[in-house]
Amino acid sequence: MYETIGRLLDGPPPGASEGELVDWITRLETVKCRAEAVQAEAAVRLEEAARNRQLAAGVPARKLGEGVASQVALARRVSPAKGAKLLGLAKILLAEMPHTFGLMKAGLFSQWQATILARETACLSLDDRRVIDHELCAAGPEGEPAKAVAMGLRQLENAAKKLAITLDQGSVVARAANAAKDRRVSLRPAPDTMTWLGALLPVKDGVAVFAALDQAAKTAAAAGDERSRGQVMADTLVARVTGREAGVKPRIEVKIVMTADTLANDSDQPVMVEGYGPVPAAWARDALADAEVFVRRLFTDPVGQLVAMESRSRKAPDGLAEFIATRDGGICRTVGCDAPIRNIDHVERFADGGTTSAENLQGLCERCNQAKEALGWKARPGPDGSIVTITPTRHVYTSPPPEPWRPDPPPLSRAEFALRDVLLD
């Protein structure tokens, strides 16, 4: 089997036919599904071993299993939140959905397909969940393939929902009513100095917001507005949320990382805006011209390391914590984690002699901060600003030092390129 997998991973031979290439892709997909199943099995066994070790060490029952999800995340190179979801899915598959897990082990079902079934049956009793698992993922009485294998993702989701409603409509309704507690707004960077603003809302609220924006676009089009429908909807959303329609200017606080050379307001060197990334200086000035802006300028040394901070805010910041959060880019320092910083943590524990200094502090999300306190976890700062984390299994993960911020040198002109080529010759 290992020789077969190794041969597959070497890639198809030169001159392979189109049919052979399709077969190669199919076999690789089978291997991927089987690997995800084995990873799930290993994750469950890892938690069992960790819980036994923690129990023997006298860890309270409520803390048994702490840190395991983070170990899974580090091993699979994903965020701790994703690691927790993967561990939870693995436990469900092995304990409650044997047919779904069997399809994965056979290479016929992906981890994402299994996630859809687990998600849509989460509100049901164990018995009802097993009914759906059998109905969709068990082979037929005459050995027919499982129904789920031939379904697309949307078909699979709808089939699971229909069965769940049929088996226990009350639980599905109660789950829907409880889901409103998860409403939230999120923001993430997009290319070209744009951002994605998202909102998870109850369906009636989401439809109402979209309908209001759509009506604004129709009204603008009827009045001869040359903007596209999408542009009018986006502009209307911003205007109504920020209060610009009422003539109110938003109060914004912006952190800009710069070298001493970029201190002048007319500099054309790019600047780093915390929470987004590098932006052109001219764009930043234009974009912020209509707002009441409080700028916190952060200075770097000649090699780009953050060394000092000044504040123009009316309220003085909590200096050191503010410095660490900015130095770390606002993102958790754990390898693979992209969650926002929520805690300023001692790398080497204060109780173990760690100092409260920039060299021994790091920004972590809440999940990573809790995982680091579990039995057997250790960390230490490196001399270059990196952070070395050692898990209870003695695996070592190194978080590189924060990336220095310094503007790239301007590109060579055509004449300079030509001169360089002459000199190289």
Side-chain angles (χ1 to χ4, degrees):
M1 180 61 186
Y2 287 107
E3 291 181 2
T4 302
I5 292 177
R7 180 70 188 90
L8 281 172
L9 297 181
D10 285 339
S17 67
E18 293 180 45
E20 289 172 330
L21 293 172
V22 170
D23 289 340
W24 212 278
I25 294 170
T26 301
R27 291 198 295 270
L28 285 170
E29 190 63 29
T30 298
V31 170
K32 283 169 57 181
C33 293
R34 295 186 66 180
E36 288 172 336
V38 176
Q39 282 181 317
E41 191 171 14
V44 171
R45 292 172 61 182
L46 173 64
E47 188 189 46
E48 292 173 351
R51 291 174 68 92
N52 289 336
R53 172 179 57 83
Q54 293 169 346
L55 182 63
V59 174
R62 62 184 176 82
K63 289 184 173 290
L64 294 179
E66 272 194 355
V68 176
S70 292
Q71 287 183 266
V72 172
L74 288 167
R76 295 195 61 172
R77 303 173 191 168
V78 298
S79 70
K82 179 69 173 178
K85 291 179 181 178
L86 291 172
L87 177 58
L89 174 65
K91 292 159 67 174
I92 290 170
L93 290 174
L94 269 68
E96 302 178 12
M97 305 182 74
H99 296 292
T100 302
F101 184 66
L103 288 181
M104 291 180 66
K105 293 255 335 190
L108 300 174
F109 219 53
S110 70
Q111 178 179 277
W112 181 240
Q113 289 170 297
T115 299
I116 290 174
L117 285 185
R119 182 188 67 203
E120 298 304 327
T121 58
C123 63
L124 303 179
S125 67
L126 176 58
D127 288 341
D128 286 342
R129 171 175 260 173
R130 285 179 170 166
V131 168
I132 294 179
D133 175 59
H134 182 274
E135 179 69 20
L136 295 180
C137 296
E142 302 297 326
E144 304 93 336
K147 298 175 184 177
V149 173
M151 292 181 178
L153 296 180
R154 181 59 63 86
Q155 289 176 306
L156 181 65
E157 180 180 344
N158 289 341
K161 284 180 177 178
K162 288 172 63 177
L163 286 169
I165 292 171
T166 301
L167 290 168
D168 190 351
Q169 182 172 235
S171 292
V172 175
V173 172
R175 177 187 181 183
N178 194 53
K181 296 178 181 177
D182 294 328
R183 61 191 183 277
R184 60 185 179 273
V185 176
S186 60
L187 182 72
R188 57 190 177 91
D192 304 322
T193 62
M194 302 290 282
T195 55
W196 291 105
L197 176 67
L200 179 64
L201 301 171
V203 64
K204 60 181 178 64
D205 294 333
V207 170
V209 169
F210 190 85
L213 297 175
D214 184 55
Q215 183 59 47
K218 291 176 180 176
T219 301
D225 196 313
E226 295 183 357
R227 292 175 297 171
S228 69
R229 174 175 173 270
Q231 289 172 340
V232 173
M233 293 176 72
D235 293 346
T236 303
L237 173 66
V238 172
R240 293 181 180 178
V241 171
T242 61
R244 289 178 184 172
E245 279 191 334
V248 178
K249 287 188 176 182
R251 181 186 183 278
I252 303 172
E253 180 175 279
V254 178
K255 293 180 184 175
I256 299 178
V257 181
M258 63 182 71
T259 64
D261 292 338
T262 62
L263 179 59
N265 289 331
D266 59 353
S267 171
D268 289 329
Q269 290 183 321
V271 297
M272 175 71 79
V273 176
E274 187 182 79
Y276 181 83
V279 299
W283 175 90
R285 289 194 294 269
D286 292 343
L288 301 174
D290 63 344
E292 182 185 356
V293 181
F294 292 86
V295 177
R296 293 187 180 178
R297 297 179 303 179
L298 299 102
F299 301 106
T300 65
D301 63 17
V303 296
Q305 299 293 340
L306 196 62
V307 295
M309 178 176 68
E310 79 165 13
S311 175
R312 290 186 181 177
S313 173
R314 295 172 184 168
K315 180 180 179 182
D318 183 3
L320 187 55
E322 188 84 4
F323 182 87
I324 297 301
T326 302
R327 182 201 65 187
D328 292 350
I331 300 174
C332 179
R333 286 292 299 275
T334 300
V335 176
C337 185
D338 56 4
I341 290 174
R342 292 288 181 262
N343 302 109
I344 303 300
D345 172 71
H346 287 81
V347 179
E348 184 179 1
R349 293 182 179 89
F350 184 79
D352 297 335
T355 60
T356 306
S357 61
E359 294 75 19
N360 192 51
L361 292 175
Q362 62 178 335
L364 295 179
C365 67
E366 292 183 10
R367 186 186 297 273
C368 289
N369 193 35
Q370 292 175 1
K372 182 175 173 286
E373 296 303 314
L375 180 68
W377 286 71
K378 295 180 180 179
R380 64 175 183 270
D384 60 349
S386 61
I387 297 172
V388 178
T389 300
I390 306 171
T391 68
T393 55
R394 308 301 296 172
H395 286 83
V396 179
Y397 301 90
T398 302
S399 169
E403 183 178 354
W405 171 246
R406 56 180 179 270
D408 294 328
L412 297 176
S413 66
R414 291 183 179 179
E416 289 171 325
F417 264 118
L419 178 60
R420 186 190 66 170
D421 292 339
V422 170
L423 293 175
L424 289 176
D425 289 340

